[in-house]
Amino acid sequence: MQLPNAWPPGDLRSLYLHWTAGDYATVFPAYHVCIALDPRGEPVAHVTHDLRANMRDVREPGPPYAAHTAGRNSHAIGLAICGMRDATPHDFGAFPLLEPMLALGCAAAARLCAFYGIAIEPAHVLTHAEAALADGYFGSGEDQRWDIARLSPRPAPLVPDDAARAGDELRARIRAA
Ligand SMILES: [Zn+2]
């Protein structure tokens, strides 16, 4: 898999995992790295925002940064898996999470954590859903977030425990990558 081996040196302390809620090809500069599908259907990692933009306290006035996780963007990396447009907890829709994309996302996260010295623990490596749970906006409603609280659709209603379980599973996969 083609991932950069070198990243810009600097002070990054946490990493947030997202999905884009778009299709498999469209990438967004709100994240630093997007895992997309190339025209052959192979997963590919795109650097969509310079990591240096978030190597600061973004509450201070300054140049634009990747705004991926409300209130948590200082010294924070945003990594997104492309897909999940119009997805619900029980129906992932036309662009469901794909295993090869998750695998590349976990590999990219592992490289980034190793390079920046970020511990793969819930305090530092977490999903947007876990951040939303802590900050009071977890859920599948319009102004809520649940990425990545499920890795596959289930009929059961979305509950906070989904966020913790998916986060634990993703951290285990990042540690193993
Ligand atoms: Zn998100």
Side-chain angles (χ1 to χ4, degrees):
M1 58 187 69
Q2 69 297 35
L3 287 172
N5 282 311
W7 307 89
D11 184 5
L12 291 171
R13 305 170 191 174
S14 55
L15 185 149
Y16 290 87
L17 299 160
H18 303 256
W19 60 56
T20 61
D23 59 25
Y24 287 145
T26 310
V27 299
F28 299 90
Y31 314 103
H32 296 101
V33 178
C34 289
I35 307 298
L37 287 186
D38 73 10
R40 296 168 307 158
E42 299 290 327
V44 57
H46 292 288
V47 176
T48 45
H49 205 118
D50 193 320
L51 285 150
R52 287 171 288 202
N54 290 58
M55 292 176 181
R56 65 181 185 90
D57 184 342
V58 302
R59 293 169 301 180
E60 306 289 331
Y65 56 91
H68 50 84
T69 311
R72 293 169 175 257
N73 292 306
S74 301
H75 302 284
I77 303 169
L79 186 154
I81 311 291
C82 291
M84 297 292 277
R85 189 166 77 194
D86 299 328
T88 68
H90 61 270
D91 179 359
F92 277 13
F95 302 96
L97 290 176
L98 294 182
E99 177 53 37
M101 300 177 82
L102 279 170
L104 182 58
C106 289
R111 293 266 186 99
L112 286 160
C113 289
F115 188 85
Y116 291 109
I118 299 169
I120 305 170
E121 299 296 338
H124 301 284
V125 176
L126 59 161
T127 65
H128 196 179
E130 289 175 298
L133 192 56
D135 294 349
Y137 63 100
F138 173 72
S140 56
E142 184 72 15
D143 295 321
Q144 299 176 311
R145 293 292 181 271
W146 62 289
D147 57 312
I148 299 175
R150 280 188 183 175
L151 301 178
S152 54
R154 281 198 302 280
L158 186 72
V159 292
D161 195 45
D162 286 321
R165 257 186 299 159
D168 285 343
E169 183 168 342
L170 287 164
R171 281 182 290 274
R173 290 187 60 163
I174 292 166
R175 281 186 208 105

PDB file of all heavy atoms in Angstrom, residues 18-19 31 68 128 145 147, ligand 1:
ATOM      1  N   HIS A  18     -12.886   9.310  11.199  1.00  0.00           N
ATOM      2  CA  HIS A  18     -14.183   9.737  10.654  1.00  0.00           C
ATOM      3  C   HIS A  18     -14.557   8.895   9.444  1.00  0.00           C
ATOM      4  O   HIS A  18     -13.725   8.202   8.874  1.00  0.00           O
ATOM      5  CB  HIS A  18     -14.105  11.186  10.140  1.00  0.00           C
ATOM      6  CG  HIS A  18     -13.680  12.201  11.134  1.00  0.00           C
ATOM      7  ND1 HIS A  18     -14.570  13.061  11.729  1.00  0.00           N
ATOM      8  CD2 HIS A  18     -12.460  12.526  11.621  1.00  0.00           C
ATOM      9  CE1 HIS A  18     -13.914  13.870  12.551  1.00  0.00           C
ATOM     10  NE2 HIS A  18     -12.630  13.568  12.506  1.00  0.00           N
ATOM     11  N   TRP A  19     -15.833   9.038   9.019  1.00  0.00           N
ATOM     12  CA  TRP A  19     -16.166   8.768   7.627  1.00  0.00           C
ATOM     13  C   TRP A  19     -16.632  10.082   7.037  1.00  0.00           C
ATOM     14  O   TRP A  19     -16.992  11.032   7.758  1.00  0.00           O
ATOM     15  CB  TRP A  19     -17.192   7.654   7.477  1.00  0.00           C
ATOM     16  CG  TRP A  19     -18.538   7.840   8.122  1.00  0.00           C
ATOM     17  CD1 TRP A  19     -19.428   8.871   7.936  1.00  0.00           C
ATOM     18  CD2 TRP A  19     -19.161   6.946   9.059  1.00  0.00           C
ATOM     19  NE1 TRP A  19     -20.546   8.674   8.693  1.00  0.00           N
ATOM     20  CE2 TRP A  19     -20.416   7.497   9.391  1.00  0.00           C
ATOM     21  CE3 TRP A  19     -18.779   5.726   9.625  1.00  0.00           C
ATOM     22  CZ2 TRP A  19     -21.280   6.878  10.289  1.00  0.00           C
ATOM     23  CZ3 TRP A  19     -19.648   5.115  10.507  1.00  0.00           C
ATOM     24  CH2 TRP A  19     -20.881   5.687  10.833  1.00  0.00           C
ATOM     25  N   TYR A  31     -10.306  17.114   6.442  1.00  0.00           N
ATOM     26  CA  TYR A  31      -9.474  16.053   7.025  1.00  0.00           C
ATOM     27  C   TYR A  31      -8.058  16.169   6.462  1.00  0.00           C
ATOM     28  O   TYR A  31      -7.859  16.735   5.391  1.00  0.00           O
ATOM     29  CB  TYR A  31     -10.043  14.670   6.671  1.00  0.00           C
ATOM     30  CG  TYR A  31     -11.533  14.554   6.858  1.00  0.00           C
ATOM     31  CD1 TYR A  31     -12.392  14.598   5.762  1.00  0.00           C
ATOM     32  CD2 TYR A  31     -12.088  14.432   8.126  1.00  0.00           C
ATOM     33  CE1 TYR A  31     -13.772  14.512   5.926  1.00  0.00           C
ATOM     34  CE2 TYR A  31     -13.462  14.345   8.301  1.00  0.00           C
ATOM     35  CZ  TYR A  31     -14.295  14.388   7.196  1.00  0.00           C
ATOM     36  OH  TYR A  31     -15.660  14.310   7.348  1.00  0.00           O
ATOM     37  N   HIS A  68     -12.067  19.237  11.561  1.00  0.00           N
ATOM     38  CA  HIS A  68     -12.708  17.917  11.432  1.00  0.00           C
ATOM     39  C   HIS A  68     -13.557  17.526  12.627  1.00  0.00           C
ATOM     40  O   HIS A  68     -14.532  16.803  12.498  1.00  0.00           O
ATOM     41  CB  HIS A  68     -11.646  16.847  11.146  1.00  0.00           C
ATOM     42  CG  HIS A  68     -10.464  16.853  12.081  1.00  0.00           C
ATOM     43  ND1 HIS A  68     -10.484  16.222  13.292  1.00  0.00           N
ATOM     44  CD2 HIS A  68      -9.246  17.449  11.989  1.00  0.00           C
ATOM     45  CE1 HIS A  68      -9.311  16.405  13.896  1.00  0.00           C
ATOM     46  NE2 HIS A  68      -8.545  17.153  13.125  1.00  0.00           N
ATOM     47  N   HIS A 128     -14.825  10.130  15.864  1.00  0.00           N
ATOM     48  CA  HIS A 128     -15.655  11.326  16.014  1.00  0.00           C
ATOM     49  C   HIS A 128     -16.853  11.003  16.924  1.00  0.00           C
ATOM     50  O   HIS A 128     -17.264  11.828  17.740  1.00  0.00           O
ATOM     51  CB  HIS A 128     -16.130  11.785  14.638  1.00  0.00           C
ATOM     52  CG  HIS A 128     -16.657  13.181  14.623  1.00  0.00           C
ATOM     53  ND1 HIS A 128     -17.101  13.776  13.470  1.00  0.00           N
ATOM     54  CD2 HIS A 128     -16.820  14.110  15.605  1.00  0.00           C
ATOM     55  CE1 HIS A 128     -17.518  15.014  13.762  1.00  0.00           C
ATOM     56  NE2 HIS A 128     -17.371  15.235  15.040  1.00  0.00           N
ATOM     57  N   ARG A 145     -23.386  13.343  15.477  1.00  0.00           N
ATOM     58  CA  ARG A 145     -22.377  12.573  14.750  1.00  0.00           C
ATOM     59  C   ARG A 145     -22.295  11.165  15.318  1.00  0.00           C
ATOM     60  O   ARG A 145     -22.356  10.981  16.538  1.00  0.00           O
ATOM     61  CB  ARG A 145     -21.010  13.252  14.854  1.00  0.00           C
ATOM     62  CG  ARG A 145     -20.930  14.601  14.139  1.00  0.00           C
ATOM     63  CD  ARG A 145     -21.031  14.451  12.625  1.00  0.00           C
ATOM     64  NE  ARG A 145     -20.922  15.739  11.924  1.00  0.00           N
ATOM     65  CZ  ARG A 145     -21.955  16.528  11.638  1.00  0.00           C
ATOM     66  NH1 ARG A 145     -23.182  16.185  11.997  1.00  0.00           N
ATOM     67  NH2 ARG A 145     -21.760  17.668  10.991  1.00  0.00           N
ATOM     68  N   ASP A 147     -19.956   8.862  13.441  1.00  0.00           N
ATOM     69  CA  ASP A 147     -18.826   8.242  12.735  1.00  0.00           C
ATOM     70  C   ASP A 147     -17.649   8.036  13.700  1.00  0.00           C
ATOM     71  O   ASP A 147     -17.252   8.995  14.346  1.00  0.00           O
ATOM     72  CB  ASP A 147     -18.417   9.111  11.542  1.00  0.00           C
ATOM     73  CG  ASP A 147     -18.047  10.557  11.909  1.00  0.00           C
ATOM     74  OD1 ASP A 147     -18.800  11.206  12.650  1.00  0.00           O
ATOM     75  OD2 ASP A 147     -16.979  11.010  11.471  1.00  0.00           O
TER      76      ASP A 147
HETATM   77 ZN    ZN B   1     -16.643  13.117  11.588  1.00  0.00          ZN
END
